[in-house]
């Protein structure tokens, strides 16, 4: 046996990292991980309020609040006080917007999966047809324009390759790039 050892996930002591670049990278990764955990918490428990404020080693502030900054802070400052009717309406509206955006993100993830030739499961295909049924005319127009541009770029690249050039430094026809 070669005796190759893998460190994997392990507990590390929390201490100041002296190398500035390493410290910034570590902060960024930990911040992303913390925000992902907070997002999953919000996704699983829709009525939870979450607030995170952090500062990078350079002093730049970062924050994550759900549903809103005001509702999280007011609930923290006065946990026994019920929010006003307007506050509850505003929070519910913010939660609905998050839910809508999550749905849009799920649709985009599914489309990306299909485009990247991954085999979609039956649930994904059902969502595709539902998405197609709900597509607006302006979205179809934008998609057609984008596909035309992709076609133009691909044809230009193909012509360049056929002419023996491995990369293009010339402007394509009609200057669309």
């Amino acid at each position: 046996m070669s005796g190759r050892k893998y460190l994997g996930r392990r507990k590390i002591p929390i201490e100041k990292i002296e190398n500035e670049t390493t410290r910034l990278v570590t902060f960024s990764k930990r911040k992303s991980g913390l925000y992902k955990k907070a997002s999953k918490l919000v996704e699983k428990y829709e009525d939870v309020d979450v607030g995170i404020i952090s500062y990078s080693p350079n002093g730049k502030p970062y924050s994550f609040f759900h549903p809103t900054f005001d509702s999280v802070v007011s609930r923290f400052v006065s946990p026994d006080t019920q929010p006003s009717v307007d506050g509850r309406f505003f929070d519910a509206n913010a939660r609905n917007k998050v839910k809508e955006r999550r749905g849009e993100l799920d649709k985009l993830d599914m489309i990306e999966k299909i485009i990247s030739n991954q085999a979609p499961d039956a649930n994904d295909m059902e969502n595709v047809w539902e998405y197609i049924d709900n597509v607006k005319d302006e979205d179809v127009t934008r998609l057609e324009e984008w596909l035309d541009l992709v076609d133009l770029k691909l044809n230009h690249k193909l012509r360049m390759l056929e002419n023996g050039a491995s990369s293009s430094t010339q402007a394509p026809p009609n200057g669309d790039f």
Side-chain angles (χ1 to χ4, degrees):
M1 189 171 216
S2 67
R4 189 169 184 184
K5 296 178 182 175
Y6 296 98
L7 295 177
R9 292 181 64 170
R10 66 188 197 285
K11 189 169 185 163
I12 59 169
I14 301 293
E15 56 190 31
K16 183 172 181 175
I17 300 170
E18 296 302 324
N19 182 314
E20 184 178 357
T21 303
T22 305
R23 185 171 53 248
L24 291 172
V25 168
T26 301
F27 172 80
S28 179
K29 288 180 179 180
R30 288 183 179 171
K31 176 179 64 85
S32 294
L34 185 60
Y35 286 5
K36 284 180 185 177
K37 290 288 186 184
S39 294
K40 287 187 186 283
L41 182 68
V42 166
E43 190 175 327
K44 186 171 184 178
Y45 304 104
E46 294 178 1
D47 59 343
V48 71
D49 292 351
V50 178
I52 299 171
I53 299 174
S54 62
Y55 289 87
S56 74
N58 293 338
K60 185 175 180 182
Y62 293 92
S63 63
F64 175 96
F65 290 93
H66 179 79
T68 65
F69 171 82
D70 291 333
S71 66
V72 172
V73 171
S74 66
R75 188 166 175 189
F76 180 77
V77 171
S78 306
D80 298 327
T81 305
Q82 290 293 326
S84 67
V85 173
D86 289 342
R88 285 194 305 255
F89 176 76
F90 192 73
D91 290 351
N93 189 32
R95 290 179 201 281
N96 285 336
K97 284 182 181 179
V98 167
K99 214 182 276 186
E100 287 173 11
R101 297 285 161 89
R102 192 177 304 124
E104 291 172 11
L105 185 60
D106 290 343
K107 288 176 186 175
L108 290 172
D109 286 344
M110 183 243 331
I111 290 170
E112 181 182 33
K113 192 187 294 184
I114 290 170
I115 290 172
S116 68
N117 292 326
Q118 294 178 0
D121 59 25
N123 194 26
D124 285 341
M125 289 310 296
E126 184 177 314
N127 290 336
V128 168
W129 295 118
E130 181 181 331
Y131 176 74
I132 289 171
D133 287 341
N134 294 323
V135 171
K136 297 181 178 105
D137 288 341
E138 63 265 12
D139 293 335
V140 171
T141 303
R142 278 192 318 195
L143 180 59
E144 286 174 339
E145 290 169 355
W146 180 79
L147 288 172
D148 288 342
L149 181 62
V150 168
D151 184 48
L152 178 70
K153 288 181 178 183
L154 288 173
N155 284 327
H156 176 70
K157 183 69 173 176
L158 181 61
R159 281 192 303 278
M160 294 302 295
L161 290 172
E162 287 172 348
N163 292 334
S166 61
S167 66
S168 173
T169 55
Q170 298 176 332
N174 22 0
D176 283 327
F177 292 70

